[in-house]
């Protein structure tokens, strides 16, 4: 695989040690009537990254490298949802309330599922996570260890919440982390830019950033 001209400096993906983690590309964040919308956000902004994210996923599938999908969601009895998360703010619907895509952010409901255009293939790992980070209270760390993964490419939503949290968790666990800048989005464009700046600052303190084209070119090389 080729060298990627990433920010803040070049990075090389190592064959058989690299996986893609697609964070929370769920209807609840991306379609009207879901969790993202209940928080008062304009969800249409997030829909724009679906084609680039699909190209990135296809690149990993072509290279025969693992694609891991995550979903932020909770058990139907909310036993894994901390009271602080349940009661915070003034959303129009709270986690567990019935909405147009089923109960908000509940595992097994239509809204918690991944958007059709990015749907996991049979055999791909899907991690349900109760937190913003994908390592907290999930088997992700054990799964990556079993696969011998050392480098993670990240896509998904939202950049400064679940993506950045997971990248920080991964960085602290020793993984080299690369963010696909046009396959991630925030409800707040300024926050996306700031998150990418924070991740890549101080000599890649959390990790690297590159475009989908740059990453796919390296995967295909
Ligand atoms: N997946 C994820 O980022 N969860 C959030 O709640 N993000 C918000 O930006 N609200």
């Amino acid at each position: 695989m080729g060298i990627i001209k990433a920010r803040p400096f070049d990075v090389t993906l190592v064959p058989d040690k690299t996986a893609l983690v697609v964070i929370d590309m769920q209807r609840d964040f991306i379609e009207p009537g879901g969790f993202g919308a209940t928080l008062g956000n304009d969800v249409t902004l997030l829909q724009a990254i679906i084609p680039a994210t699909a190209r990135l996923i296809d690149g990993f599938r072509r290279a025969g490298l693992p694609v891991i999908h995550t979903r932020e969601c909770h058990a139907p009895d909310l036993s894994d949802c901390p009271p602080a998360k349940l009661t915070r703010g003034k959303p129009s619907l709270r986690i567990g309330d019935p909405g147009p895509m089923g109960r908000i952010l509940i595992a097994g409901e239509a809204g918690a599922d991944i958007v059709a255009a990015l749907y996991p293939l049979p055999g791909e790992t899907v991690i349900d996570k109760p937190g913003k980070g994908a390592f907290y209270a999930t088997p992700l760390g054990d799964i990556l260890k079993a696969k011998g993964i050392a480098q993670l490419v990240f896509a998904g939503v939202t950049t400064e919440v679940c993506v950045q949290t997971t990248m920080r968790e991964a960085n602290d666990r020793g993984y080299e982390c690369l963010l696909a800048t046009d396959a991630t989005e925030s409800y707040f464009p300024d926050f996306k830019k700031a998150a990418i700046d924070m991740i890549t600052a101080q000599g890649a303190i959390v990790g690297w950033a590159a475009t989908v084209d740059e990453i796919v070119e390296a995967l295909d090389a």
Side-chain angles (χ1 to χ4, degrees):
M1 287 195 283
I3 295 173
I4 298 172
K5 293 234 164 295
R7 278 175 62 189
F9 51 86
D10 293 357
V11 62
T12 305
L13 296 181
V14 181
D16 300 328
K17 292 203 176 302
T18 303
L20 173 64
V21 183
V22 184
I23 301 283
D24 301 355
M25 290 299 286
Q26 297 160 256
R27 299 182 64 193
D28 255 327
F29 292 105
I30 294 170
E31 296 184 13
F35 183 62
T38 73
L39 296 172
N41 298 306
D42 173 7
V43 296
T44 57
L45 204 54
L46 273 49
Q47 291 166 12
I49 67 161
I50 290 176
T53 308
R55 281 193 291 116
L56 184 62
I57 291 172
D58 284 346
F60 272 79
R61 286 175 180 159
R62 255 198 321 277
L65 296 176
V67 178
I68 296 166
H69 308 258
T70 72
R71 300 185 292 207
E72 180 179 347
C73 58
H74 294 278
D77 65 0
L78 298 175
S79 54
D80 58 0
C81 186
K85 183 174 181 182
L86 193 58
T87 58
R88 192 170 306 162
K90 286 202 182 338
S92 54
L93 293 173
R94 293 199 183 272
I95 296 169
D97 285 351
M101 293 187 287
R103 294 177 67 201
I104 298 287
L105 226 58
I106 298 296
E109 301 285 339
D113 212 351
I114 291 168
V115 294
L118 306 177
Y119 213 74
L121 289 183
E124 288 179 348
T125 301
V126 180
I127 301 278
D128 283 348
K129 62 186 189 55
K132 302 305 180 192
F135 286 83
Y136 168 67
T138 77
L140 179 59
D142 291 339
I143 289 168
L144 294 175
K145 245 182 237 152
K147 291 181 186 293
I149 298 298
Q151 295 181 313
L152 295 172
V153 175
F154 285 92
V157 297
T158 60
T159 315
E160 81 282 8
V161 183
C162 291
V163 176
Q164 182 173 210
T165 301
T166 304
M167 286 186 77
R168 289 177 182 278
E169 287 182 321
N171 188 51
D172 281 352
R173 285 164 173 78
Y175 295 97
E176 291 194 319
C177 298
L178 169 64
L179 177 59
T181 52
D182 47 342
T184 184
E185 194 49 87
S186 168
Y187 299 119
F188 307 93
D190 290 353
F191 289 177
K192 173 180 177 176
K193 183 190 177 305
I196 295 170
D197 287 348
M198 281 189 270
I199 284 163
T200 56
Q202 304 183 68
I205 194 105
V206 177
W208 288 260
T211 65
V212 167
D213 282 349
E214 288 167 332
I215 296 166
V216 170
E217 217 171 278
L219 290 170
D220 286 339

